[in-house]
Amino acid sequence: MIKQIAENVWKFYYHNFGSNCYLIRAENKKILIDTSSSANKGSLEADLRGLELDVSDIELVLLTHLHYDHVGNLDLFKNAKIYASAQEIKDLKKSPSLAVLGNHDELRKMNLLEAGKLKLKAFRLVMVPGHTSGSIAFYMPKEKILFSGDTLFDEGIGRTDLPTSNAGKMEKSLAKLGKLGHRILCAGH
């Protein structure tokens, strides 16, 4: 299901277990935040076609974290540069199955780039450890849109009992997000 939530921002919501995905057109680029689970592959492709796009049109994929329900369709985006936090990349290398919580074979073969080196004026990267040790959020200050991944939901917060979670840092991360003054919350689920 597609819903336009702001000018040049669309939400892809799936009923099968998986994360929300967000398509953003900014700085003359087509950007996708998270890719949902592989169970939603056909729906994601269809939703992109519904916006007159093909998977090859996506130039950047920004990952809030590396859990399988957020990275399950990365294989579709062969032309895109894929970004994750340095900590998520480190955790993937150290213990792939714990970082992904599922099949990690394809992800380990990909060239993941460090999100901290991403140069986009439209976005501010916010480190929000808690759900995972390397969770990140993306904030569009001009539009006041927060892409919170699994750190903050409309009604609640992400789990902190998973292998790479850091429950001790979640409270600080939530406080950091609260200070941003977002108008629109785009959560992972």
Side-chain angles (χ1 to χ4, degrees), residues 63-97:
L63 300 171
T64 59
H65 62 292
L66 298 181
H67 285 166
Y68 72 95
D69 56 328
H70 291 256
V71 303
N73 296 306
L74 282 176
D75 61 319
L76 292 174
F77 303 100
K78 295 179 183 358
N79 296 335
K81 291 182 179 177
I82 302 168
Y83 290 88
S85 76
Q87 183 63 49
E88 288 293 282
I89 295 168
K90 180 180 174 183
D91 289 346
L92 176 67
K93 290 177 182 175
K94 180 180 175 185
S95 184
S97 60

Side-chain angles (χ1 to χ4, degrees), residues 117-181:
K117 296 178 180 177
L118 183 63
K119 304 293 183 215
L120 287 173
K121 294 177 184 175
F123 290 92
R124 182 172 147 205
L125 174 73
V126 185
M127 302 302 298
V128 288
H131 180 65
T132 67
S133 61
S135 287
I136 54 178
F138 299 95
Y139 183 59
M140 297 180 78
K142 182 179 176 190
E143 297 83 357
K144 296 186 184 259
I145 300 174
L146 174 62
F147 302 92
S148 61
D150 285 359
T151 301
L152 178 64
F153 302 132
D154 287 325
E155 295 181 20
I157 64 173
R159 293 175 59 178
T160 58
D161 61 338
L162 300 168
T164 67
S165 295
N166 190 326
K169 293 187 177 181
M170 181 62 104
E171 191 173 323
K172 287 181 181 179
S173 292
L174 293 168
K176 189 186 300 184
L177 293 180
K179 291 178 184 175
L180 294 175

